[in-house]
Amino acid sequence: MQLYQTNELKIYNSITGEKEVFKPITEGYVGMYVCGPTVYSNVHLGNVRTFMSFDLVFRYLKHLGYKVRYVRNITDAGHLENDADVGEDRIAKKARLEQIEPMEVVQRYTVDFHNTLNKFNNLPPSIEPTATGHIIEQIEVINEIIDNGFAYVVNGSVYFDVLKFNETNEYGKLSKRKVEDLIHNTRETAGQSEKKNPQDFALWKKAEPQHIMRWPSPWSDGFPGWHLECTTMSTKYLGDHFDIHGGGMDLKFPHHECEIAQAEASTGISPVNYWMHANLLTLNGKKMAKSTGNNILPNEIFTGNNDILDKAFTPSVTRFFMLQANYRSILDFSNEALIASEKGFNRLMDAFHTIDNLKTGSSSSFDSKLWKQSCYDAMNDDFNSPILIANLFEAVKQINLIKEEKATITQEDLAIIKETMQAFIFEVLGLQDERSAQDNSSDKLTGTVELLIQLRAEARANKDFATSDKIRDQLAALGVELKDGKDGTTFSLN
Ligand code: AMP
Ligand code: ZN
């Protein structure tokens, strides 16, 4: 394992409020669970930021040599409007409005989610379980909670007994809320009257006649509560006790608080060692959200098709913009910030491509080993990508000085710079060299057409007009037009 031990990885643990040295439960292995999307609409850039933050964590842990099992769920049932225990299922509502099957909604937006994250070069998780695929397991967890005395059944629904749980455990330890305060903060709405106390939350809900997403259970035909799926699927694939649990800041309460309560009530074990929460992306200073319409969609960025944008931006420029902020800081989206990121990203790429052309000598005016360590130090400090990027720009500065012959570098030091930049830019930050990919494919196209032009000239010289016409006509059909002139044949793309 390639571990930089001089400074160990520290993770900010939301439950203790401190940066702690990361010690996996099993040496060399990491189990990580991240709450996935509710697939009832297209993901907006705010959602993307959260998943990108955990992609950075996943990538860096892998880079350090850990074998990571990364589980991220798809919520395809049980998430009601307003995150509440009453109201319509978000997916069923969309299905009703569009007059399609709920599973068509799920399929459409799961595909969109995958395509979008793929464009941003997020790595797929190791396992991507769905709530509807784990109804039986969720029923088992409810049974355990009932057997342990922490849940009760009313009219075919099952509720978690928060006050009972709080007698022996600590409800509110993650979000730092006190159960007594929650009494005053919880509004009594229709359907909550079934609950013993307003803090209680649903583990299973009996379906109203019009609720179409329903499954049989020992209590009623119904559906699981939203919080339950994450407890069930995280412990099923990572065990009762695992290393890292992540999600957006807005999930801390009630979702993650309820996850802790459910897991402790069913297994008696506190489920997670390190709780990580990624901060929000804002637009005009307000949270990007589906419900308010204050959001921007990834496609609008790639096409520039949004009033707030002056132009289109590539996925890597957008990714670079996001990673220039610490995952725990709020980040505000703007056209100006993206333009600045584009400049910075291009400067980084230009410098990286210059490395191979630099002259090396017998001495270095730059300590590349020390610099390399500072890159690791940044990431070891709770995945501090903005500091890492600042360090990468330190190397950019040196590369430009060496190019102008204002600084010197040995071959060995230059090799360290190249290898470290390569690892951090592409493997850890997950940026892509979009220009060279484009240049590369246009080079290939030019080479191929020029070869065909040459073969056509040879055919004509041999009076094989059938072949020469075939080449010209078939290229034309593909949108490549050949023009014969005094100085030979040129081509244009239609
Ligand atoms: P949802 O599909 O609404 O359950 O959200 C999926 C993930 O995106 C959750 O982890 C949310 O916390 C996160 N999220 C939602 N809005 C934002 C935002 N504006 N910025 C960052 N993350 C967000
Ligand atoms: Zn969750």
Side-chain angles (χ1 to χ4, degrees):
M1 214 179 2
Q2 178 219 340
L3 274 182
Y4 274 71
Q5 291 294 5
T6 43
N7 208 342
E8 291 165 297
L9 173 61
K10 287 199 181 119
I11 297 184
Y12 179 86
N13 195 346
S14 306
I15 203 158
T16 59
E18 278 170 19
K19 281 185 197 164
E20 296 171 9
V21 172
F22 178 64
K23 283 209 174 16
I25 294 166
T26 308
E27 210 191 315
Y29 291 82
V30 180
M32 173 162 95
Y33 186 90
V34 172
C35 293
T38 306
V39 280
Y40 71 105
S41 67
N42 298 101
V43 274
H44 59 68
L45 205 65
N47 306 126
V48 171
R49 182 183 183 206
T50 287
F51 297 118
M52 200 183 279
S53 296
F54 290 103
D55 186 56
L56 178 72
V57 172
F58 183 38
R59 284 170 173 275
Y60 188 57
L61 290 169
K62 275 159 55 101
H63 175 74
L64 289 180
Y66 289 110
K67 196 162 190 291
V68 188
R69 182 179 295 166
Y70 173 20
V71 183
R72 188 184 63 208
N73 68 307
I74 295 278
T75 296
D76 58 354
H79 196 172
L80 305 188
E81 292 176 289
N82 310 317
D83 292 349
D85 283 341
V86 283
E88 201 170 358
D89 183 290
R90 293 177 187 215
I91 286 158
K93 180 176 179 184
K94 183 78 173 183
R96 179 172 59 76
L97 294 174
E98 304 247 330
Q99 296 192 311
I100 55 176
E101 275 291 312
M103 280 302 132
E104 283 181 273
V105 173
V106 166
Q107 177 71 9
R108 180 191 295 170
Y109 295 111
T110 303
V111 168
D112 170 72
F113 175 66
H114 287 155
N115 285 344
T116 303
L117 290 200
N118 209 5
K119 281 192 190 132
F120 284 108
N121 202 26
N122 277 18
L123 299 174
S126 329
I127 305 178
E128 197 168 45
T130 60
T132 56
H134 294 75
I135 300 289
I136 291 170
E137 290 88 338
Q138 294 183 76
I139 291 172
E140 279 169 11
V141 174
I142 298 174
N143 269 328
E144 283 163 11
I145 298 175
I146 294 175
D147 287 349
N148 293 339
F150 294 115
Y152 55 92
V153 184
V154 187
N155 299 331
S157 292
V158 187
Y159 293 100
F160 190 94
D161 191 338
V162 171
L163 294 191
K164 175 81 189 301
F165 174 77
N166 202 44
E167 287 169 14
T168 46
N169 299 62
E170 193 189 342
Y171 184 80
K173 64 181 165 192
L174 175 65
S175 55
K176 317 286 178 244
R177 293 175 196 228
K178 288 209 166 14
V179 173
E180 308 81 64
D181 300 339
L182 293 175
I183 297 174
H184 306 291
N185 290 341
T186 314
R187 266 187 303 134
E188 186 73 20
T189 55
Q192 287 198 334
S193 52
E194 280 182 356
K195 298 178 183 177
K196 276 202 221 165
N197 294 292
Q199 301 93 329
D200 296 351
F201 57 89
L203 297 173
W204 187 265
K205 286 284 289 182
K206 179 180 173 178
E208 304 286 328
Q210 70 275 16
H211 195 107
I212 46 179
M213 300 180 76
R214 53 170 68 214
W215 293 265
S217 80
W219 314 286
S220 63
D221 266 15
F223 56 93
W226 171 41
H227 315 304
L228 187 66
E229 62 173 279
C230 288
T231 297
T232 305
M233 297 190 279
S234 60
T235 53
K236 170 162 176 153
Y237 295 109
L238 299 172
D240 291 347
H241 185 210
F242 56 94
D243 297 296
I244 298 174
H245 191 314
M249 207 66 111
D250 54 338
L251 297 186
K252 220 189 238 186
F253 186 87
H255 187 56
H256 291 160
E257 199 68 66
C258 294
E259 271 191 56
I260 297 176
Q262 293 167 149
E264 290 184 1
S266 66
T267 67
I269 300 171
S270 188
V272 175
N273 272 355
Y274 302 85
W275 279 95
M276 294 183 70
H277 289 97
N279 216 327
L280 298 177
L281 186 66
T282 57
L283 182 61
N284 303 316
K286 288 192 217 89
K287 181 188 168 187
M288 265 198 204
K290 286 169 201 170
S291 49
T292 57
N294 185 48
N295 65 51
I296 184 156
L297 297 177
N299 257 337
E300 297 171 344
I301 295 176
F302 306 150
T303 58
N305 203 357
N306 185 303
D307 287 348
I308 68 163
L309 297 176
D310 286 349
K311 62 186 278 301
F313 296 94
T314 65
S316 273
V317 166
T318 315
R319 189 173 172 108
F320 188 66
F321 156 71
M322 302 238 217
L323 296 176
Q324 274 177 303
N326 188 293
Y327 79 92
R328 286 200 288 124
S329 311
I330 288 180
L331 175 63
D332 195 50
F333 180 91
S334 70
N335 179 59
E336 289 65 37
L338 275 183
I339 287 176
S341 292
E342 188 174 57
K343 269 199 196 128
F345 180 62
N346 289 342
R347 224 158 70 78
L348 184 64
M349 285 300 144
D350 286 344
F352 182 71
H353 289 304
T354 306
I355 296 178
D356 283 340
N357 304 326
L358 293 179
K359 277 200 222 122
T360 54
S362 55
S363 68
S364 287
S365 46
F366 181 62
D367 187 339
S368 60
K369 286 202 182 96
L370 196 68
W371 166 78
K372 176 177 177 175
Q373 186 59 51
S374 70
C375 292
Y376 280 92
D377 290 348
M379 285 303 285
N380 284 341
D381 183 15
D382 191 32
F383 311 96
N384 203 332
S385 56
I387 302 289
L388 167 66
I389 291 172
N391 284 323
L392 293 176
F393 276 108
E394 193 49 48
V396 169
K397 195 169 114 196
Q398 290 304 320
I399 290 166
N400 292 334
L401 286 173
I402 298 162
K403 185 173 141 197
E404 293 162 18
E405 299 187 0
K406 291 180 184 152
T408 57
I409 194 92
T410 63
Q411 202 172 3
E412 188 203 355
D413 273 333
L414 191 62
I416 293 174
I417 293 180
K418 183 170 179 188
E419 172 212 319
T420 308
M421 282 186 89
Q422 175 118 25
F424 279 105
I425 295 173
F426 303 112
E427 191 187 319
V428 174
L429 293 176
L431 298 166
Q432 285 174 308
D433 196 353
E434 287 150 340
R435 281 183 307 172
S436 92
Q438 279 165 8
D439 293 350
N440 215 344
S441 54
S442 71
D443 283 354
K444 281 185 189 145
L445 178 66
T446 305
T448 309
V449 176
E450 278 170 357
L451 175 67
L452 287 165
I453 289 173
Q454 195 189 324
L455 292 175
R456 177 168 167 265
E458 284 169 18
R460 287 201 329 183
N462 294 333
K463 306 222 175 327
D464 178 3
F465 297 112
T467 302
S468 71
D469 288 351
K470 187 174 175 187
I471 293 174
R472 187 199 54 215
D473 294 346
Q474 296 209 352
L475 279 176
L478 291 168
V480 182
E481 199 184 332
L482 301 188
K483 284 193 197 95
D484 296 316
K486 292 204 295 302
D487 303 325
T489 305
T490 56
F491 75 94
S492 61
L493 302 180
N494 293 326

